[in-house]
Amino acid sequence: MAVLVSSTASKAVGLVEDVKFEMSAFEPRLHASTLQGLTNELKQASIGQEFVSSLPQHSTKRESDDLEKDDQEKEDPESLTDSDSGDDVALRPPHITERRRAQNAKFSAWLSTRVEKVTKEEVKAAIQNADDEVLSIRNLMAKQESQVIITDPREYQIELFERAKKENIIAVLDTGSGKTLIAVLLLKHILDKELEDRALGKPPRIAFFLVGADLIECNLDQKIDRFCGEMNCDFWGKAIWDKHFKENMAIVCTAEILYQCLMHSFVTMAQINLLIFDEAHHAKKNHSYARIIKDFYLAELDPTKRPKVFGMTASPVDAKVDVVQAAKGLETLLHCQIATTADLSLLQRSISRPNERIADYDPLPAPYTTPLCAQLKSRYGNMEPLSRLIHFATAATSELGEWCADHIFSLALAEEEANKVEVKIERTFNAEKEGQPIEVLDSEIRRIREAKEFIKEHDFPPPNLSGNSLSSKVRRLQGYLNDVFERPTDAKCIVFVKQRLTARLLGELFKRIGSRHLRLGILIGTRAGEAGDHKVTFRQQVVTLMKFRKGELNCLSRGRARHKNSGVKASKQYMEDTVLTLLVSAYDRTWKPTTSGKYQRSPRWRGQPHDNETILQATYILTVENKQYICELLLPENSPIRSVSGRPSSRKSTAKRSAAFEACLLLRQRGYLDGHLLPTYHKRLPAMRNAHLALNMKKTNAYTMRVKPSIWEETRGSLPDTLYLTLLILASPENMSRPYQPLALLTRTPLPEIPRFPLHLQPGKSSEVLCVPIRQHLMVSVSTLEKLTSFTLRVYKDVFNKVYEVNQPQMSYWLAPVTKQRPKNLQDVTATSLIDWSIVELVHEKDEIPWSFKTPHEDLANRYLIDRWDGGRRFFSVGVVPELRPHDPVPEGCPSHKYMDNIISYTVSLFSKSRARAKWLPNQPVLLAHRVLHRRNLLDDFDNGETEVPTRSYLPSTIAATCYLFPAIIWRIEAHLIALEACDLLQLQIKPQLALEAFTKDSDNTDEHRSEQIHVQRGMGKNYERLEFIGDCFLKMATSISLYARNPVDDEFESHVKRMLMICNKNLFGTALKLKLRTWYPEGIKLLEGKGHKKLGSEVIKHQLNDKTIADVCEALIGAALLSYRDTGNMDMAVKAVTALASNPDHDVASWAGYYEMYEKPAYQISGCSAAQLDLAVKVEKEHDYHFKHPRLLRSAFIHPSYPFAWERIPCYQRLEFLGDALLDMACVNYLFYRYPDRDPQWLTEHKMALVSNKFLGALCVKLGFHRHLRINSPSAMYHIQEYVAEITEAERDSNGIRDYWTMTKNPPKCLPDIVEAYLGAVFVDSEFNYQEVERFFHSHIRWFFEDMSIYDTFANAHPTAGHLLVR
């Protein structure tokens, strides 16, 4: 019988794109800077070539194969066709960062090998020959040490050396007498003795040369290293210092570096064999020399373990004091004896001193004003930056001459210097307590720019040696320098001046009038001066001195520059910055002030982001109780500990030290300081938000995939006598375009409620599937079960070309046709009456309907037909076409085919040889039929490539349609069952549709909402992203409430850390595996025929998931638990989900009421209220109609961290702000989530930023008048608040009802949004944890601003969601 197919050929859907490798990413590359540095430092010209040749070739097949094993191809529901036999392996190259990491590891290994081969002599040679510009400061200083000074020691040097071997001395010798030689002799002696001690097995010790020591290393055989503050030694830990101590026998460093090492226990006095103090007269009061001796040298009670001390100085006294008394004090402090040579005549003969000449010059005129200076003074004399220059220029007319006086303006108002002046003016303007109109600032900057242009256009004449152009003093200096440098000479000269500007002016002058052999340099220190004052780095100073020594420069103009902050350099990390200073102030272990101890304020907090009102110093607040001082120490706002109180003391200094010491103890006890008193927490900028802590966003791992629900296994293995019916009914059967009859799914146990879900039957037409459970069960006999098994297996064979063994005990479920006539109320009928048993028996008795020439043509219409030779070809017949014969030409309109000779060739599916042997009846009828398209993924809508409607039928045509829908239906049912089983594991009762949504990931990059989706799995329904969005927010709120209630003594910092540990993805990861479905075929019974029948045993299916996906599903489950009870407002199930998934003792409540039950009101909350606190409650109630039962709790919401606790005994708002922040987040997310149900999480997150931004909350604070109640102890913060209040008030007044007026102002001081959140937290606590009060506040004061979110699109796009991590 020939079959004529009238449908068009179906097109392939879901093609897999080729994966392409960009091989350039594997090519070895060596940066030019790396090559240059290696060439200059190591002098290895072949390094680049060796490295390239040492890398493996990327084009080898083995490497390519290894890369291709990294990933697996994802399969979607749409690919479930007859040809499915399992998962295929796809090829994916490693991520580019992984490739780079591998290359870096190879390079590091190679570099380590190469460096080991470079000898110490080669390094020295490379340093000596390298350009100074590419060397580090350490190598620059080492390069200078080329002079061997130990040749022939003089008698007085040997005398003092011998004495130093016996006792601690301070060698007092004039400058140039060779004190360093004595130190080198002593150091050499100590190191020789150290080598002997080490040979005897004694513990190694090390020598320290403090300051000076330019010529040490080249005069000793042992390895020596040097360190200075510019090398950021403050950041080094014990491991680094141990490495340096192990590699070197002596260290040259500043006294402060040694003091820090001793204080952090990186080294002890017992490990030091020699201390050399250069310029020993500085050892007084709180100098590092004095602290080393008092705090550590004397603390070593065993004299044999103390190091030898050797001091050097030209004079033991550097001030106008009693010389004898000062000398005795120095001896006592350093535990040394002052010593000098016994024969001073030897010393006088040995020291070569330069000749001194006094130069006479004509008297200098009185200072006057030049014409240029007079013009500038008349125009800009009232501007402070320029008035200073004018004053200097006036004085310079006398000291230097008119040319220098005028030329200072060309230096100070050059482009770069003028910009510096503008910045200073703006900074001064912003720092003024009394605010001025912005027009004042604009006017000042405009005038500076006018002055710059005026000087730029001014014609400066060249210097003239006659007249008033140069002063007589400068002309005399010029004459002397010309005499010395008029011809080539080795002479060198240093011109000392009092001011930095003078040094720079002389440098500019002698470039113009100096002789051709004069090579002038400037040495003016590192301080950043005023306008016109050139900034010089420490490195530039070192290079300048080196050039002077080598003769590249022969004259230096030297200014007397002193650093305005010449103390210890502040650390860039807050913890190091504050804690180290606290230790300096509090080190006295006996709580008694040391004899020269002096309280030091902590340095400013540098290098960290902060707002304007943050106090960048530790603040000490003293109060008096019982005639004793008690100090409260306030640390900066973002520190892990905010406030610590010390012990009572009769002295203020001791009270302060007590508070500082208690702070250090507390930091150590809580783990913020390690055993060496270094910070364990550091501020870092992560790639993503805090919730991504410690999880790789790109790396994927293979996890076992759950493909079948466990409900099928509950009674498998035996013959059931009871089955439960679930009817599979289409809500809109008219969209089938073919006769339709429902199916019944018979299971061993009752199925839970399965929500409706859509099927896309044809383009533009769909229908929801109703899974209707029948209350009454079906009692089945053995024969009845055989008939149902026959019907079910026939469906698999005839429709899906799968032949399974008959094994009734292993059947998971059965199928049965449902009668066409059904009552409307299905629950009132018996299960038996709903099954069309006539069809079941017909299928059980007959395999197929036979055909012959006697078969009426009417019996061939509306039949389901199967190709005998190709089981994948199935058809629905329309009817016989009488006018056509098998050998007639193929009619027009039929799809193109390989064989188009005639109808019979067009129809049969035989191969060429079989076709040649086949013989056909020439008079058989020609049947018009529609070929069935095997489109299984009816859960997804049709795309543009699917133009043909798949027709469906089965043994009777009324059943066929439903059978072709069955794969999609059972796929979705099993998906719900698996999701519900996962919820059961967590003991969560969640609505099925929300449970499935929480476990649905429809692409590899589901969370990249506006990017092209990768490996999309269509038809899976809603993915978890929106649930994860709201679940994440509830998780933050729930953990915040629990931490606040459970840990009343924790400060905000500790609460943040604990919350992060609960809500971070690292904690959620592994709690529940992301489950995803792959196949609908039944399991348990053996497949005998069909694709995949050769597979033996149960096959474990795995899928690739990144770690964050698994954590996101946990948050989505929390969101599903919350939404499941939205109608009732009950959040108990969501709380239970947080407890199950956070898995942390800090959150172990099972219901919302549990939060308040574990909260114990702190003493400050329930204490008696003052009149001021009661008055505050009355005033605030007028701003928001909530009556506080505990006014002291309200007061806490308005106490700034700078406000001392001792003044009211009420904590600051930080804990309440921590709680209120999470509550406000939840209220805002709720509003957006339900108001915009179709928006993706990225849009919701971006627009949430507007609602919770500091900018909006600051404006809301002012609108509510909360700022008037703030208690603060920071004048600068108060100024910024006043300035912002004036600006936002004016913006609101001029807005004319515009709701986003607050976006047009500057950012508010952070304390303003903080007190809004703290107030919200206080309301929540006072109302006994009533979340409805939070929602009421939101709808009363916030919602109005955000009725139309479209006006905040620009604001949202300008505020990316990123944060800082504080990690240990």
Side-chain angles (χ1 to χ4, degrees):
M1 179 175 60
V3 179
L4 180 64
V5 181
S6 63
S7 65
T8 58
S10 62
K11 296 183 179 179
V13 181
L15 295 178
V16 180
E17 296 181 358
D18 294 335
V19 178
K20 297 181 179 179
F21 288 82
E22 185 178 351
M23 296 308 298
S24 61
F26 292 89
E27 293 176 1
R29 297 172 181 171
L30 193 62
H31 292 291
S33 60
T34 304
L35 281 174
Q36 168 128 10
L38 291 172
T39 303
N40 290 333
E41 299 281 356
L42 306 179
K43 288 296 180 181
Q44 296 291 323
S46 61
I47 281 180
Q49 182 179 358
E50 290 179 14
F51 170 57
V52 173
S53 63
S54 66
L55 286 177
Q57 297 298 317
H58 65 264
S59 58
T60 62
K61 186 176 187 303
R62 175 174 298 180
E63 180 179 349
S64 179
D65 291 342
D66 291 341
L67 294 173
E68 291 172 352
K69 293 178 182 178
D70 288 344
D71 235 341
Q72 290 188 348
E73 180 181 352
K74 311 256 189 225
E75 183 185 357
D76 59 5
E78 188 174 345
S79 65
L80 302 178
T81 65
D82 292 329
S83 61
D84 292 342
S85 60
D87 298 338
D88 296 329
V89 177
L91 306 179
R92 180 181 297 175
H95 193 272
I96 187 170
T97 56
E98 297 176 8
R99 298 197 300 265
R100 288 178 178 172
R101 191 180 299 114
Q103 290 182 4
N104 290 339
K106 295 175 184 176
F107 175 70
S108 298
W110 168 85
L111 186 61
S112 299
T113 304
R114 288 292 303 159
V115 169
E116 291 175 358
K117 299 178 181 179
V118 180
T119 64
K120 182 177 180 179
E121 290 72 19
E122 288 174 322
V123 172
K124 286 185 176 180
I127 291 175
Q128 293 297 326
N129 297 326
D131 187 358
D132 294 342
E133 298 299 326
V134 300
L135 291 178
S136 64
I137 293 178
R138 176 189 294 185
N139 288 336
L140 283 173
M141 299 174 70
K143 190 174 181 178
Q144 301 178 62
E145 295 187 355
S146 57
Q147 180 181 352
V148 178
I149 61 173
I150 301 179
T151 54
D152 185 18
R154 299 180 179 90
E155 185 176 339
Y156 69 87
Q157 292 173 325
I158 296 176
E159 174 192 348
L160 292 177
F161 164 59
E162 292 296 332
R163 186 172 177 181
K165 290 165 57 178
K166 300 176 182 178
E167 61 180 339
N168 297 342
I169 68 169
I170 302 173
V172 179
L173 297 173
D174 285 346
T175 302
S177 59
K179 296 186 294 295
T180 304
L181 173 58
I182 302 173
V184 172
L185 290 172
L186 179 61
L187 179 59
K188 194 174 181 62
H189 166 75
I190 294 295
L191 294 184
D192 290 341
K193 188 174 183 301
E194 172 65 16
L195 292 174
E196 295 176 2
D197 291 342
R198 292 186 182 184
L200 296 175
K202 295 182 179 181
R205 303 176 77 186
I206 192 170
F208 279 86
F209 199 129
L210 305 183
V211 190
D214 289 339
L215 305 171
I216 297 299
E217 187 173 357
C218 61
N219 292 278
L220 296 173
D221 296 333
Q222 288 74 28
K223 190 174 181 181
I224 296 175
D225 213 338
R226 60 176 67 237
F227 305 102
C228 60
E230 294 288 332
M231 299 166 67
N232 293 323
C233 304
D234 293 343
F235 301 125
W236 295 357
K238 181 172 175 56
I240 297 178
W241 281 114
D242 284 346
K243 177 176 178 293
H244 289 302
F245 295 153
K246 183 178 180 180
E247 294 176 350
N248 299 280
M249 295 191 68
I251 297 291
V252 179
C253 65
T254 63
E256 183 61 29
I257 289 178
L258 175 58
Y259 180 76
Q260 295 292 337
C261 288
L262 290 167
M263 186 179 65
H264 290 294
S265 297
F266 297 148
V267 68
T268 65
M269 275 294 165
Q271 296 173 307
I272 302 174
N273 50 27
L274 175 63
L275 285 176
I276 300 177
F277 295 103
D278 194 12
E279 304 294 340
H281 58 274
H282 291 307
K284 54 188 175 181
K285 296 183 179 180
N286 209 35
H287 189 272
S288 298
Y289 284 173
R291 286 184 290 166
I292 290 172
I293 296 296
K294 291 186 293 185
D295 294 343
F296 300 100
Y297 184 85
L298 297 180
E300 178 54 68
L301 301 180
D302 186 354
T304 62
K305 294 183 178 180
R306 291 176 180 174
K308 181 173 288 297
V309 178
F310 177 75
M312 300 183 294
T313 182
S315 171
V317 180
D318 62 349
K320 295 181 179 180
V321 293
D322 182 87
V323 175
V324 175
Q325 188 65 31
K328 289 182 178 180
L330 183 62
E331 287 181 325
T332 302
L333 184 60
L334 290 182
H335 279 248
C336 297
Q337 295 293 321
I338 291 179
T340 187
T341 178
D343 189 353
L344 294 179
S345 61
L346 293 175
L347 184 62
Q348 294 173 353
R349 290 195 300 269
S350 302
I351 300 176
S352 60
R353 297 185 179 274
N355 296 326
E356 295 183 2
R357 293 170 52 188
I358 299 177
D360 297 325
Y361 53 85
D362 295 338
L364 299 176
Y368 59 93
T369 303
T370 66
L372 175 61
C373 186
Q375 294 182 58
L376 291 172
K377 185 176 182 180
S378 63
R379 296 184 184 184
Y380 314 107
N382 59 344
M383 298 183 65
E384 181 181 1
L386 295 185
S387 65
R388 294 181 180 179
L389 291 175
I390 293 171
H391 177 75
F392 178 86
T394 302
T397 54
S398 173
E399 292 287 335
L400 304 176
E402 290 186 5
W403 187 89
C404 292
D406 287 348
H407 198 69
I408 184 59
F409 296 108
S410 66
L411 298 178
L413 293 176
E415 187 71 29
E416 182 178 350
E417 298 298 323
N419 292 338
K420 188 191 332 181
V421 175
E422 291 182 15
V423 171
K424 182 178 180 180
I425 290 175
E426 186 172 356
R427 184 170 61 247
T428 303
F429 177 85
N430 293 329
E432 290 179 353
K433 295 183 178 180
E434 298 181 0
Q436 300 184 46
I438 193 65
E439 290 77 13
V440 175
L441 175 62
D442 294 338
S443 174
E444 293 283 295
I445 292 179
R446 182 173 62 254
R447 294 178 68 193
I448 285 293
R449 292 176 179 175
E450 289 177 358
K452 179 182 68 175
E453 292 299 322
F454 177 78
I455 293 299
K456 186 176 181 180
E457 297 174 358
H458 183 76
D459 184 20
F460 290 91
N464 193 339
L465 295 179
S466 61
N468 296 327
S469 180
L470 300 176
S471 69
S472 59
K473 182 192 292 188
V474 172
R475 288 198 298 269
R476 184 69 182 88
L477 175 63
Q478 189 266 346
Y480 175 80
L481 294 177
N482 280 352
D483 290 343
V484 175
F485 298 107
E486 65 179 353
R487 63 183 63 84
T489 178
D490 294 332
K492 296 177 183 178
C493 174
I494 301 178
V495 180
F496 291 93
V497 298
K498 292 183 178 180
Q499 298 189 54
R500 294 161 59 93
L501 282 175
T502 302
R504 191 177 180 193
L505 285 170
L506 290 179
E508 294 292 329
L509 174 65
F510 285 106
K511 286 180 182 178
R512 294 167 170 80
I513 65 174
S515 64
R516 63 190 184 93
H517 296 293
L518 176 66
R519 299 180 294 277
L520 185 68
I522 301 175
L523 198 64
I524 55 177
T526 60
R527 179 175 64 89
E530 304 295 335
D533 194 1
H534 189 56
K535 181 179 180 180
V536 180
T537 65
F538 178 73
R539 176 190 177 82
Q540 289 173 320
Q541 291 185 81
V542 173
V543 172
T544 299
L545 285 174
M546 290 184 62
K547 291 181 178 180
F548 186 68
R549 286 182 175 181
K550 292 189 295 185
E552 297 177 16
L553 300 175
N554 54 21
C555 182
L556 289 182
S557 180
R558 175 74 168 92
R560 295 180 60 193
R562 290 186 179 179
H563 199 293
K564 59 182 179 182
N565 296 323
S566 57
V568 183
K569 183 178 179 181
S571 168
K572 292 184 179 180
Q573 297 288 339
Y574 161 68
M575 291 290 296
E576 295 175 351
D577 193 32
T578 302
V579 172
L580 297 187
T581 306
L582 293 175
L583 290 171
V584 170
S585 303
Y587 189 74
D588 185 8
R589 302 174 184 176
T590 62
W591 297 107
K592 297 178 181 179
T594 54
T595 54
S596 61
K598 180 180 179 181
Y599 160 67
Q600 293 183 342
R601 293 192 308 169
S602 61
R604 287 196 174 270
W605 179 18
R606 299 179 180 176
Q608 294 291 350
H610 56 269
D611 46 65
N612 291 330
E613 76 268 19
T614 299
I615 300 176
L616 303 183
Q617 290 179 321
T619 304
Y620 294 83
I621 305 296
L622 288 167
T623 56
V624 179
E625 293 185 10
N626 299 325
K627 297 183 180 181
Q628 285 195 313
Y629 294 103
I630 297 178
C631 180
E632 180 182 358
L633 175 62
L634 301 179
L635 297 178
E637 187 172 344
N638 291 340
S639 61
I641 295 174
R642 275 290 301 121
S643 173
V644 181
S645 294
R647 303 177 185 179
S649 174
S650 59
R651 299 184 59 182
K652 291 182 180 179
S653 59
T654 308
K656 291 178 179 178
R657 291 178 179 178
S658 173
F661 190 66
E662 292 293 337
C664 294
L665 290 178
L666 192 58
L667 288 168
R668 176 71 182 114
Q669 290 169 0
R670 297 190 181 181
Y672 303 130
L673 297 177
D674 61 16
H676 297 281
L677 300 181
L678 289 177
T680 58
Y681 284 84
H682 304 279
K683 201 85 172 204
R684 293 182 183 175
L685 196 63
M688 306 297 290
R689 300 187 313 174
N690 287 354
H692 300 161
L693 179 62
L695 288 187
N696 193 321
M697 293 289 295
K698 300 298 182 182
K699 181 181 178 181
T700 61
N701 296 310
Y703 296 96
T704 302
M705 182 173 58
R706 190 67 178 271
V707 295
K708 293 294 178 182
S710 59
I711 192 174
W712 300 148
E713 304 175 9
E714 290 186 1
T715 57
R716 190 189 297 161
S718 62
L719 290 178
D721 55 9
T722 303
L723 296 177
Y724 298 87
L725 268 68
T726 300
L727 303 187
L728 309 178
I729 302 174
L730 291 181
S732 304
E734 65 276 6
N735 291 333
M736 280 287 293
S737 71
R738 180 169 294 281
Y740 153 82
Q741 188 173 346
L743 278 177
L745 180 66
L746 293 86
T747 57
R748 297 172 181 262
T749 56
L751 294 183
E753 177 189 356
I754 303 297
R756 295 184 173 199
F757 55 89
L759 290 183
H760 299 274
L761 306 176
Q762 51 183 323
K765 293 184 179 182
S766 62
S767 174
E768 286 190 327
V769 176
L770 309 180
C771 299
V772 183
I774 303 302
R775 294 177 183 174
Q776 296 187 15
H777 56 268
L778 176 66
M779 301 299 296
V780 292
S781 62
V782 175
S783 61
T784 302
L785 198 60
E786 289 178 356
K787 295 175 183 180
L788 291 174
T789 302
S790 297
F791 181 87
T792 303
L793 297 182
R794 182 65 61 83
V795 170
Y796 297 150
K797 176 183 178 181
D798 289 354
V799 177
F800 305 112
N801 199 28
K802 302 289 185 181
V803 178
Y804 286 93
E805 68 174 346
V806 179
N807 189 349
Q808 296 173 10
Q810 293 300 319
M811 293 282 287
S812 299
Y813 51 79
W814 289 263
L815 298 176
V818 178
T819 58
K820 295 181 179 180
Q821 302 299 326
R822 302 178 304 277
K824 292 184 179 180
N825 188 359
L826 297 175
Q827 301 304 327
D828 295 336
V829 297
T830 62
T832 302
S833 64
L834 291 174
I835 296 177
D836 192 337
W837 293 105
S838 62
I839 298 177
V840 173
E841 293 177 357
L842 178 64
V843 171
H844 176 64
E845 295 173 357
K846 298 181 179 181
D847 289 337
E848 65 178 63
I849 301 174
W851 174 87
S852 68
F853 282 100
K854 296 180 180 181
T855 302
H857 286 184
E858 296 79 21
D859 288 352
L860 297 178
N862 196 24
R863 290 290 185 180
Y864 176 69
L865 308 174
I866 302 173
D867 191 332
R868 290 181 180 274
W869 294 279
D870 187 352
R873 281 162 47 94
R874 291 166 170 80
F875 306 89
F876 284 105
S877 65
V878 177
V880 175
V881 184
E883 62 272 17
L884 293 179
R885 294 290 180 266
H887 294 284
D888 289 348
V890 178
E892 295 182 1
C894 293
S896 178
H897 192 269
K898 181 178 180 181
Y899 301 99
M900 298 290 292
D901 299 338
N902 49 47
I903 292 176
I904 192 67
S905 296
Y906 180 84
T907 302
V908 299
S909 58
L910 298 176
F911 292 108
S912 300
K913 293 183 179 180
S914 299
R915 284 173 178 269
R917 295 193 301 266
K919 296 181 180 180
W920 308 103
L921 299 176
N923 57 345
Q924 61 178 296
V926 174
L927 188 64
L928 178 64
H930 295 282
R931 183 173 178 180
V932 179
L933 298 180
H934 294 277
R935 186 181 192 271
R936 302 289 168 75
N937 190 13
L938 301 177
L939 296 168
D940 183 40
D941 201 355
F942 286 73
D943 62 17
N944 295 330
E946 297 178 89
T947 60
E948 187 64 24
V949 180
T951 57
R952 302 158 184 82
S953 181
Y954 191 61
L955 304 172
S957 61
T958 53
I959 297 298
T962 311
C963 289
Y964 270 96
L965 302 179
F966 181 71
I969 294 174
I970 194 64
W971 193 84
R972 179 54 58 87
I973 290 175
E974 290 181 336
H976 279 103
L977 294 176
I978 291 176
L980 290 174
E981 287 174 1
C983 296
D984 290 340
L985 290 175
L986 300 172
Q987 299 181 351
L988 301 176
Q989 288 74 50
I990 299 176
K991 290 183 177 181
Q993 64 270 31
L994 292 173
L996 178 58
E997 183 178 338
F999 281 97
T1000 299
K1001 178 180 176 67
D1002 53 8
S1003 68
D1004 285 3
N1005 56 338
T1006 296
D1007 53 343
E1008 298 175 12
H1009 309 287
R1010 297 172 191 173
S1011 303
E1012 182 179 354
Q1013 299 296 288
I1014 302 172
H1015 292 157
V1016 179
Q1017 304 201 43
R1018 299 165 53 188
M1020 298 186 70
K1022 293 182 179 180
N1023 62 44
Y1024 64 74
E1025 285 295 309
R1026 275 180 60 91
L1027 287 179
E1028 182 265 336
F1029 171 71
I1030 196 169
D1032 173 70
C1033 189
F1034 186 87
L1035 174 63
K1036 175 184 174 182
M1037 180 183 72
T1039 52
S1040 300
I1041 296 172
S1042 180
L1043 287 169
Y1044 182 89
R1046 181 179 294 278
N1047 303 296
V1049 298
D1050 283 357
D1051 56 27
E1052 183 203 19
F1053 182 88
E1054 289 185 342
S1055 297
H1056 271 296
V1057 173
K1058 289 182 178 180
R1059 183 177 68 187
M1060 185 184 300
L1061 295 176
M1062 282 195 285
I1063 70 175
C1064 69
N1065 284 345
K1066 182 179 181 181
N1067 183 47
L1068 299 178
F1069 174 68
T1071 306
L1073 279 180
K1074 161 71 173 58
L1075 303 180
K1076 188 165 57 175
L1077 310 175
R1078 289 297 182 106
T1079 178
W1080 69 270
Y1081 297 132
E1083 63 178 2
I1085 54 178
K1086 184 178 180 181
L1087 179 63
L1088 301 178
E1089 296 180 16
K1091 195 77 171 183
H1093 72 279
K1094 295 183 180 180
K1095 292 182 179 179
L1096 300 177
S1098 59
E1099 189 172 23
V1100 177
I1101 301 177
K1102 294 183 177 292
H1103 53 175
Q1104 297 290 329
L1105 299 173
N1106 65 49
D1107 298 347
K1108 181 182 177 297
T1109 295
I1110 298 175
D1112 286 348
V1113 168
C1114 295
E1115 293 172 342
L1117 274 175
I1118 297 173
L1122 178 65
L1123 267 61
S1124 293
Y1125 301 89
R1126 176 198 172 193
D1127 297 337
T1128 63
N1130 190 316
M1131 294 188 281
D1132 290 349
M1133 193 57 61
V1135 173
K1136 189 176 180 181
V1138 172
T1139 298
L1141 294 169
S1143 186
N1144 191 290
D1146 281 323
H1147 192 288
D1148 58 358
V1149 292
S1151 65
W1152 184 269
Y1155 291 133
Y1156 187 68
E1157 291 173 359
M1158 67 179 178
Y1159 176 64
E1160 295 183 8
K1161 297 183 180 68
Y1164 87 88
Q1165 180 178 335
I1166 57 179
S1167 299
C1169 301
S1170 66
Q1173 294 161 1
L1174 293 172
D1175 181 65
L1176 172 66
V1178 173
K1179 291 178 179 177
V1180 174
E1181 189 172 351
K1182 296 177 182 179
E1183 295 156 0
H1184 175 64
D1185 59 339
Y1186 177 80
H1187 178 73
F1188 267 85
K1189 298 185 286 290
H1190 302 288
R1192 287 174 65 85
L1193 182 65
L1194 174 63
R1195 169 68 85 192
S1196 178
F1198 292 101
I1199 291 183
H1200 189 268
S1202 64
Y1203 197 76
F1205 175 80
W1207 290 357
E1208 286 198 53
R1209 297 293 175 181
I1210 296 178
C1212 71
Y1213 61 60
Q1214 286 185 316
R1215 269 176 49 82
L1216 288 172
E1217 180 262 331
F1218 166 80
L1219 176 62
D1221 169 71
L1223 294 167
L1224 180 62
D1225 261 17
M1226 192 71 233
C1228 295
V1229 165
N1230 267 334
Y1231 171 71
L1232 293 176
F1233 188 88
Y1234 294 117
R1235 185 177 176 85
Y1236 301 96
D1238 298 325
R1239 292 291 190 175
D1240 62 60
Q1242 182 171 336
W1243 187 94
L1244 295 174
T1245 301
E1246 290 172 349
H1247 287 74
K1248 185 198 78 170
M1249 296 302 297
L1251 281 78
V1252 300
S1253 67
N1254 285 344
K1255 205 165 191 178
F1256 167 69
L1257 294 179
L1260 180 64
C1261 178
V1262 175
K1263 185 175 180 65
L1264 294 175
F1266 284 176
H1267 64 284
R1268 295 191 293 265
H1269 312 307
L1270 180 64
R1271 294 293 179 96
I1272 191 170
N1273 186 35
S1274 171
S1276 63
M1278 293 176 65
Y1279 162 73
H1280 289 293
I1281 292 172
Q1282 295 170 1
E1283 186 179 40
Y1284 174 76
V1285 169
E1287 181 180 354
I1288 194 67
T1289 303
E1290 181 180 0
E1292 182 182 11
R1293 184 176 60 250
D1294 298 340
S1295 65
N1296 296 322
I1298 297 176
R1299 304 189 185 195
D1300 63 341
Y1301 67 88
W1302 55 270
T1303 63
M1304 306 170 190
T1305 63
K1306 66 180 180 182
N1307 290 326
K1310 188 178 181 299
C1311 61
L1312 297 185
D1314 283 351
I1315 60 178
V1316 173
E1317 295 171 337
Y1319 172 78
L1320 200 56
V1323 169
F1324 179 77
V1325 175
D1326 191 75
S1327 64
E1328 299 181 358
F1329 291 28
N1330 183 0
Y1331 178 73
Q1332 296 306 315
E1333 288 294 339
V1334 178
E1335 291 281 351
R1336 189 168 71 87
F1337 179 88
F1338 174 85
H1339 291 289
S1340 299
H1341 303 293
I1342 298 178
R1343 178 170 180 167
W1344 178 84
F1345 290 91
F1346 302 99
E1347 292 286 349
D1348 180 10
M1349 290 302 299
S1350 63
I1351 63 178
Y1352 299 105
D1353 288 344
T1354 303
F1355 182 90
N1357 293 333
H1359 288 74
T1361 56
H1364 290 82
L1365 286 182
L1366 193 61
V1367 294
R1368 188 179 297 223

